[in-house]
Amino acid sequence: MKKIFWLILGVWMGGIIELKAVPLQTADSSVLAAFWDYARMQNLAHLPVNERIPLIGTFFLGKPYQSGTLEKGSQEELIVDLREFDCVTFLENTLALAFLERYDAAAVPLFLDNLKKIRYRNGKIEGYTSRLHYSSDWLYEMQRQGFLEDVTRECGGIHFPIDVFFMTKNACRYPAFEKDSLLIFQMEQIETAIGKRKYFYIPKKDIGKIQEKIQEGDIVLLTTGIKGLDTSHVGIAVKKGEKTYLLHASSSAGKVVLSALPLSEYMEKIPSQTGIMLGRVR
């Protein structure tokens, strides 16, 4: 049987402390303990955040790919899993660790708070639709909260007309919608709001031309031609000379990897991928 530790978080709200219990499995606590040692060896606390991001992602190299790790339980809650990732949870956990001010056991509450802010709209868990399911919506929220800046346009991006409807038109794929059909209406409103915003993307054919504008630690959102979706994958930019590679949780490789090919060449092999959006720590 897996042991679970309940971490009690104290959150100041108008002078009142709200106590919240967050479950941490023994295995995840062990991963964090190993990470604190790694962070000290890499001197992470004294590096700029953009330099921390790829180093933290590298710590998870080889970890298994696993989809659906957030679809557990009967209600939406903060799930922590540092043992296996999909592309989104890999990115979320990497960023939540990158934004820490210290790297030791005392930083666990802040890590969990960061994770909640990165995963949920307004940093609040208010049901299934408060989770940021569409990556364009996620980038918008990260910019609004001050975590990242959307630098796609300044890096050469062109207008990206987004029409997202995949989740609501394929509701049968999402157990939460089957349990509560009202969530479909809420998600439709979110999809409509996303479609009213102005986004940009860098077409796949142009990535090689603007490669020097992509920086180490940039967040890369890979756009898709699949109807109803905005993106199909996310990862972290790693620079080798002038070329950019993708650090990501790969379903095809079955684990966290650094792409063997530069980003532009990697994307050429996936016809459904159309380009990229870029988020950057300032």
Side-chain angles (χ1 to χ4, degrees):
M1 178 179 288
K2 295 180 180 178
K3 292 183 179 178
I4 296 179
F5 294 103
W6 290 86
L7 181 66
I8 306 299
L9 302 183
V11 183
W12 282 100
M13 298 181 64
I16 300 174
I17 295 180
E18 179 187 1
L19 295 181
K20 295 184 178 181
V22 177
L24 271 183
Q25 293 188 0
T26 305
D28 296 306
S29 295
S30 297
V31 172
L32 279 176
F35 175 74
W36 305 138
D37 291 336
Y38 173 82
R40 284 191 289 272
M41 287 189 296
Q42 297 292 334
N43 202 30
L44 289 186
H46 300 286
L47 294 177
V49 175
N50 69 301
E51 293 182 21
R52 296 179 195 177
I53 291 172
L55 285 172
I56 293 170
T58 298
F59 172 80
F60 294 113
L61 276 174
K63 291 287 186 183
Y65 180 95
Q66 180 62 57
S67 62
T69 57
L70 302 184
E71 310 307 323
K72 300 175 182 177
S74 58
Q75 62 182 18
E76 192 71 22
E77 60 183 354
L78 185 65
I79 291 176
V80 182
D81 189 342
L82 295 166
R83 293 156 285 121
E84 52 193 7
F85 305 97
D86 61 23
C87 65
V88 172
T89 58
F90 167 67
L91 184 59
E92 289 173 342
N93 281 282
T94 297
L95 289 176
L97 290 168
F99 288 115
L100 293 177
E101 296 177 357
R102 57 186 297 169
Y103 289 94
D104 54 33
V108 172
L110 182 55
F111 160 65
L112 296 173
D113 189 51
N114 283 348
L115 188 59
K116 183 174 67 171
K117 290 176 180 176
I118 289 167
R119 184 174 293 166
Y120 293 94
R121 185 173 290 100
N122 298 315
K124 296 179 180 179
I125 303 175
E126 297 176 330
Y128 181 73
T129 57
S130 67
R131 198 196 313 167
L132 297 160
H133 295 277
Y134 287 104
S135 294
S136 56
D137 193 26
W138 177 82
L139 182 58
Y140 173 84
E141 179 69 10
M142 291 305 96
Q143 181 163 265
R144 196 187 66 77
Q145 287 196 51
F147 283 109
L148 299 172
E149 183 174 354
D150 184 346
V151 295
T152 311
R153 188 178 189 181
E154 70 179 66
C155 289
I158 61 175
H159 180 54
F160 182 31
I162 290 180
D163 181 19
V164 289
F165 54 80
F166 188 89
M167 292 186 70
T168 53
K169 292 298 185 289
N170 296 276
C172 60
R173 298 189 181 195
Y174 302 90
F177 291 152
E178 292 190 339
K179 293 177 183 177
D180 185 356
S181 60
L182 289 177
L183 295 177
I184 300 176
F185 173 71
Q186 294 176 13
M187 186 56 69
E188 284 177 339
Q189 292 180 309
I190 292 168
E191 290 172 340
T192 299
I194 294 170
K196 290 180 178 178
R197 299 178 193 142
K198 194 167 186 178
Y199 289 100
F200 298 86
Y201 85 117
I202 299 164
K204 182 161 59 175
K205 64 180 178 62
D206 295 333
I207 293 175
K209 303 173 188 175
I210 59 88
Q211 203 158 195
E212 74 282 355
K213 296 181 180 180
I214 302 175
Q215 296 182 9
E216 180 88 355
D218 278 355
I219 306 307
V220 184
L221 286 63
L222 283 66
T223 60
T224 182
I226 298 173
K227 296 296 183 182
L229 284 178
D230 48 359
T231 69
S232 60
H233 198 47
V234 294
I236 297 165
V238 173
K239 303 294 288 190
K240 291 185 178 181
E242 294 182 356
K243 294 186 177 181
T244 303
Y245 293 77
L246 191 69
L247 180 58
H248 61 130
S250 167
S251 59
S252 59
K255 58 185 177 181
V256 176
V257 297
L258 179 64
S259 63
L261 296 172
L263 179 61
S264 57
E265 296 177 38
Y266 163 82
M267 293 182 66
E268 284 176 5
K269 297 182 178 297
I270 307 175
S272 63
Q273 293 178 350
T274 60
I276 60 173
M277 301 169 74
L278 293 171
R280 179 173 298 161
V281 175
R282 290 299 196 188

